[in-house]
Amino acid sequence: MKVKTLTAVVVEQLRLLEVLLGILKQETIELSKIHLDAIIETNSQKEVMAASINANAAPLQQALAEATSHEEMSANATLLDLAAKLKSKGNDEISHILEALDNTADQIRQVATINQEIAECFETSVKSSITLLSQIINLSHTYATDRKSVV
């Protein structure tokens, strides 16, 4: 029963990560369109998902502790350690879920990196535009006559 509980919690963690991945992919689209309202919404969704993922951490740790204890493993045993022990007994369900977790986490890292690069390019572009506008404003004050600018 302890392993079934752990499996359910790990499956929930996978589900949460998959939702986060979907949000990040949507964010990529919105960033590329520079759709600011949608970017704000995806940031809000990411915060909610991060909170959900963090909230699932305690039940995951508790379920892992109970399952490793039930399997007479060290209190320091990891989920990977437990998966290996269970696999040696013919139960590879946790191993498969861990594989899916790793794949999803890799995809999250990749999409997050892309999103960060897009956001940084956008930030650079905006800063460049502001600098250019500032230079134009300063030029117009330099060449102004009778409070009327030449530009």
Side-chain angles (χ1 to χ4, degrees):
M1 188 62 173
K2 306 288 185 198
V3 174
K4 287 194 182 288
T5 301
L6 176 63
T7 302
V9 175
V10 174
V11 165
E12 176 62 9
Q13 190 76 357
L14 176 59
R15 186 194 69 76
L16 293 170
L17 289 174
E18 288 171 341
V19 170
L20 177 60
L21 178 59
I23 293 168
L24 288 170
K25 287 179 177 180
Q26 183 62 39
E27 181 181 52
T28 303
I29 293 166
E30 302 306 344
L31 283 167
S32 66
K33 290 180 183 177
I34 310 174
H35 188 216
L36 298 179
D37 290 339
I39 292 169
I40 291 167
E41 177 61 27
T42 58
N43 280 336
S44 175
Q45 291 173 358
K46 286 188 305 184
E47 289 173 6
V48 168
M49 287 314 304
S52 296
I53 290 166
N54 287 335
N56 198 48
L60 179 58
Q61 291 170 345
Q62 180 64 35
L64 176 60
E66 290 173 7
T68 54
S69 173
H70 180 72
E71 292 295 321
E72 299 176 353
M73 297 177 71
S74 159
N76 296 327
T78 65
L79 188 54
L80 193 58
D81 297 333
L82 179 62
K85 181 166 186 176
L86 292 172
K87 189 173 185 176
S88 73
K89 292 178 159 186
N91 181 350
D92 60 355
E93 186 174 14
I94 298 266
S95 292
H96 289 301
I97 298 168
L98 283 179
E99 220 173 282
L101 276 170
D102 283 344
N103 290 336
T104 304
D106 284 343
Q107 290 178 45
I108 287 171
R109 280 188 284 279
Q110 291 169 3
V111 175
T113 298
I114 289 167
N115 290 357
Q116 182 177 357
E117 289 171 1
I118 293 170
E120 287 171 355
C121 286
F122 179 68
E123 176 188 24
T124 300
S125 177
V126 168
K127 283 181 179 178
S128 213
S129 294
I130 290 172
T131 300
L132 180 60
L133 289 172
S134 294
Q135 290 170 349
I136 291 171
I137 290 169
N138 288 335
L139 264 178
S140 67
H141 287 299
T142 303
Y143 295 109
T145 57
D146 296 329
R147 301 212 184 264
K148 294 179 186 174
S149 87
V150 183
V151 179

